[in-house]
Amino acid sequence: MDFTDVLIEPVVTEKANALREENKYVFIVRPDASKIQIKEAVRKLFKVKVLSCATINVDGKVKRLRGSKGKTSSYKKAIVRVADGETINLFE
């Protein structure tokens, strides 16, 4: 797996914006990506020093539409902490 395939998209929510003040950035990543692969992808793509990485597997929610059941997609989320003084310009 190439490092450009690991990160799918950044997460832009109120919680993610609050985490940016603590030098933490949130991404949706591939479900089979490991923490080491995520760290390397962020380091190479954005040229920042990555201190830590936390991953969360988010299960899809059960939804109903006109009586029929459905489910939203499950995904994997990563919270990446960068060194003090460094930022990822994608979020600015």
Side-chain angles (χ1 to χ4, degrees), residues 68-88:
S68 62
K69 290 184 181 179
K71 188 176 177 185
T72 59
S73 298
S74 300
Y75 59 95
K76 188 172 188 176
K77 185 166 61 170
I79 301 173
V80 179
R81 183 169 166 243
V82 298
D84 290 337
E86 295 190 5
T87 59
I88 296 177

Side-chain angles (χ1 to χ4, degrees), residues 33-47:
S34 68
K35 290 183 180 184
I36 295 169
Q37 291 171 331
I38 295 167
K39 283 183 187 180
E40 287 298 312
V42 172
R43 185 180 65 80
K44 288 180 180 178
L45 284 173
F46 302 110
K47 296 177 178 47

Side-chain angles (χ1 to χ4, degrees), residues 3-62:
F3 70 89
T4 57
D5 298 333
V6 174
L7 302 178
I8 297 174
E9 66 183 20
V11 176
V12 183
T13 60
E14 288 185 28
K15 280 188 178 181
N17 288 338
L19 285 174
R20 282 196 330 199
E21 296 173 3
E22 302 174 18
N23 292 333
K24 294 180 181 178
Y25 296 91
V26 184
F27 296 95
I28 293 178
V29 296
R30 288 180 51 138
D32 57 343
S34 68
K35 290 183 180 184
I36 295 169
Q37 291 171 331
I38 295 167
K39 283 183 187 180
E40 287 298 312
V42 172
R43 185 180 65 80
K44 288 180 180 178
L45 284 173
F46 302 110
K47 296 177 178 47
V48 293
K49 182 178 179 184
V50 178
L51 298 178
S52 65
C53 176
T55 58
I56 302 111
N57 287 315
V58 181
D59 287 333
K61 294 181 179 179
V62 176

